[in-house]
Amino acid sequence: MQVTPRLWLYGHEYCSLCHVMREALQAWSQPLMVEWVDIEGEAGLEEQFGELVPVLCGENGRQICHYHLDTQALDAYLADFR
C-alpha cells in the first residue's frame, strides 16, 4: 500500500512565484496532498516564511524548498514514501 505524501505550501495569494509552484505541484507525476497556507496576516508564519515564499514543507515542518520547486529535493523527500 502506497501512502500519499502530505505537503504544505506556504505563501501569499498575490505572489506569482507561489502560483507557479502550486501549478507545478498539481502537475506532479506522483499523487500528492498539498495544503495551501496563505500566511497573510499570520504573524508567526509571516516571521518564519515571509521572505522565503513560496515554501514547500513536508511532515514535521521539514522544509523541502523555497522560491522555486526543487524537483531533486522533492524526489529525495518522496523517496521515503515509496
Side-chain angles (χ1 to χ4, degrees):
M1 179 175 81
Q2 187 174 6
V3 175
T4 302
R6 187 168 179 199
L7 306 171
W8 289 262
L9 180 58
Y10 296 92
H12 293 286
E13 196 59 50
Y14 59 81
C15 170
S16 61
L17 286 178
C18 298
H19 287 277
V20 169
M21 190 181 290
R22 282 169 81 173
E23 290 170 12
L25 288 166
Q26 288 174 349
W28 193 256
S29 58
Q30 180 178 341
L32 302 170
M33 288 178 44
V34 180
E35 183 176 333
W36 165 250
V37 181
D38 188 348
I39 66 170
E40 185 70 28
E42 299 291 332
L45 293 176
E46 284 270 4
E47 186 176 317
Q48 184 176 0
F49 299 120
E51 297 296 318
L52 298 175
V53 295
V55 179
L56 182 63
C57 293
E59 299 288 330
N60 301 318
R62 177 178 162 193
Q63 187 172 317
I64 299 168
C65 59
H66 62 273
Y67 300 136
H68 303 282
L69 182 59
D70 181 336
T71 57
Q72 290 179 335
L74 182 55
D75 276 337
Y77 176 80
L78 295 175
D80 294 340
F81 293 90
R82 294 184 186 123

